[in-house]
Amino acid sequence: MASAVSRDPLEPKAGRDTVRRHNLSLVLRAVKDSGETTRAGVAARVGLTRAAISSLVEQLLESGFLSESGKTFSGQAGRPGTVLKVARTGVAGLGVEINVDYVCVCVVDLAGTDRVRLVEHLDNRDAPPAQVLRRAAQIAARALVSAGEQELRPVGAALALPGLVSSGTVRQAPNLGWTRVPAEEPFGAALAALRPRLPVLPVRSENEANLAALAELWFGALGPVRTFLYLSGEIGIGGALVLDGELLRGAHGFAGEIGHAVVAADGPECRCGARGCLEQYAGQTALLRAAGVDETHGASAVAELERRARAGDERAVAALERAGLMLGRVLSGAVNLLDPAAVVLGGIYRPLSPWLIPRAAGELSTRIVSGLWPRAGARLRPSSPAADAARGAAALVVRDVLTDPLAFGDRAAAG
């Protein structure tokens, strides 16, 4: 009987693992996806014998990945089975989002639940990269203390970074002023220096829009939608395309830089070196300037823009409508080319979507292929409050654990 557990978009091929490693992953993911279940329920889900399931479950219980409590009926004939759940303590993931004007750190448990969250608003523009990474490590160290108080032991860290990210290096992040900046090693070293008596955490990195899109896929409210375009609106505009549950990365891993799509060839100069990029019309700085809101106040400035728009301030509404128009123009090309089932607006676009979506939908309805999106407004949606890049980064670590729990058992015990 074939497994009913869907393959994770970032999961390596099972063929590289031993059969037992693969089966441990199947069982752990089956319990996680079920919320709670029994040995019989796992056996029915993954298609292994009950004897094999019992052996695998015992190993996962002993390693601290599963917990067992109470009694429940399996829904089948026979004696009731004990309830299996993924453990609420022990293994966890650490996610760190570094953006232009803030750092957000998140710790999630094995179930993907957000257990620790710290946000610090900082002006990282043109600050030395080493300084920014040290700041992020300091915030992460505080989050790890909070995690330890909840008996959580992160076994790895993932960085969510703006711009072009590849092999642990930020190749280019115009709004940060970074070019060819190694990020993983300096962050890991700074974090290790703050935790000298604890094991060094392995660090990986990924583009922030990619991780926000995966968080939307894993924790959002997309329902059956598995193919969508995600826009991350901040000072810069990031993008990610998920096709049938998997990221489309492009030939060099940099797909999704929609913020630098040109909407006006003779428009304002962008920090990327081009002119008329979407960011110059719909990025956070451009929006705030057009609305007459002090851009230096970061998150509070975005909240002020939303407040003014709700109050009917003409300048604020006009700025948002113009941004929505430009978004619609760029998105129409993307929809015609890629045919996503939905477009998700994240970052600052989520609270501003009541003004952005109608104008963008109007552009889409006149510019995309007839019949492709008969109700464009229904396909545009704000992101879920439960999904952001920091949570996606932390969940990325947890997904590694779910893929090969044996590789992380000793690390969790050491932590």
Side-chain angles (χ1 to χ4, degrees), residues 160-202:
L161 301 164
L164 307 181
V165 182
S166 175
S167 302
T169 296
V170 179
R171 302 303 174 98
Q172 186 180 27
N175 292 304
L176 274 176
W178 290 12
T179 301
R180 298 193 178 279
V181 173
E184 294 175 2
E185 186 176 346
F187 173 84
L191 186 59
L194 295 165
R195 309 166 70 243
R197 291 183 296 276
L198 295 173
V200 175
L201 290 182

Side-chain angles (χ1 to χ4, degrees), residues 97-114:
E97 180 186 1
I98 298 174
N99 222 307
V100 177
D101 56 356
Y102 67 88
V103 172
C104 178
V105 177
C106 177
V107 176
V108 303
D109 60 22
L110 201 54
T113 305
D114 196 335

Side-chain angles (χ1 to χ4, degrees), residues 84-335:
L84 295 171
K85 300 180 182 179
V86 293
R88 292 274 296 168
T89 59
V91 172
L94 173 70
V96 180
E97 180 186 1
I98 298 174
N99 222 307
V100 177
D101 56 356
Y102 67 88
V103 172
C104 178
V105 177
C106 177
V107 176
V108 303
D109 60 22
L110 201 54
T113 305
D114 196 335
R115 300 284 294 275
V116 179
R117 177 171 289 267
L118 298 177
V119 181
E120 193 162 320
H121 295 282
L122 304 162
D123 188 355
N124 294 321
R125 277 168 284 209
D126 300 317
Q131 177 182 323
V132 174
L133 292 165
R134 281 197 302 271
R135 287 174 180 170
Q138 289 166 355
I139 301 167
R142 297 204 305 269
L144 290 173
V145 171
S146 297
E149 292 169 350
Q150 299 181 56
E151 299 183 56
L152 291 168
R153 297 185 296 277
V155 294
L159 301 178
L161 301 164
L164 307 181
V165 182
S166 175
S167 302
T169 296
V170 179
R171 302 303 174 98
Q172 186 180 27
N175 292 304
L176 274 176
W178 290 12
T179 301
R180 298 193 178 279
V181 173
E184 294 175 2
E185 186 176 346
F187 173 84
L191 186 59
L194 295 165
R195 309 166 70 243
R197 291 183 296 276
L198 295 173
V200 175
L201 290 182
V203 180
R204 62 187 298 187
S205 59
E206 177 63 85
N207 172 266
E208 58 88 17
N210 284 348
L211 290 173
L214 289 176
E216 192 68 31
L217 178 69
W218 294 333
F219 307 116
L222 288 170
V225 171
R226 305 280 292 172
T227 296
F228 62 96
L229 179 63
Y230 184 96
L231 263 67
S232 174
E234 302 289 350
I235 288 177
I237 302 174
L241 180 66
V242 177
L243 289 175
D244 196 23
E246 300 195 33
L247 282 172
L248 175 69
R249 295 183 175 276
H252 303 95
F254 302 145
E257 289 297 315
I258 197 168
H260 298 290
V262 175
V263 292
D266 57 349
E269 185 175 356
C270 180
R271 293 192 67 162
C272 75
R275 286 188 171 274
C277 294
L278 178 62
E279 283 184 6
Q280 300 306 306
Y281 299 92
Q284 177 177 307
T285 299
L287 260 172
L288 294 174
R289 285 177 180 171
V293 178
D294 186 349
E295 65 193 77
T296 62
H297 291 166
S300 62
V302 175
E304 173 63 13
L305 172 58
E306 181 186 2
R307 187 195 68 76
R308 292 187 189 184
R310 290 194 183 281
D313 180 271
E314 291 184 3
R315 188 172 178 183
V317 171
L320 287 166
E321 288 184 345
R322 178 166 173 75
L325 180 145
M326 294 302 190
L327 282 170
R329 287 183 182 176
V330 170
L331 287 174
S332 64
V335 170

Side-chain angles (χ1 to χ4, degrees), residues 23-39 42 53-69 82-91 110-111 153 401-402 405:
N23 288 342
L24 282 166
S25 172
L26 281 178
V27 170
L28 183 58
R29 287 186 291 133
V31 176
K32 187 260 181 189
D33 292 345
S34 299
E36 61 177 48
T37 187
T38 63
R39 285 170 171 78
V42 174
I53 292 296
S54 289
S55 173
L56 295 164
V57 165
E58 289 303 322
Q59 186 172 351
L60 291 169
L61 287 167
E62 184 178 338
S63 300
F65 294 106
L66 295 181
S67 65
E68 187 174 38
S69 64
T82 54
V83 178
L84 295 171
K85 300 180 182 179
V86 293
R88 292 274 296 168
T89 59
V91 172
L110 201 54
R153 297 185 296 277
V401 177
L402 294 172

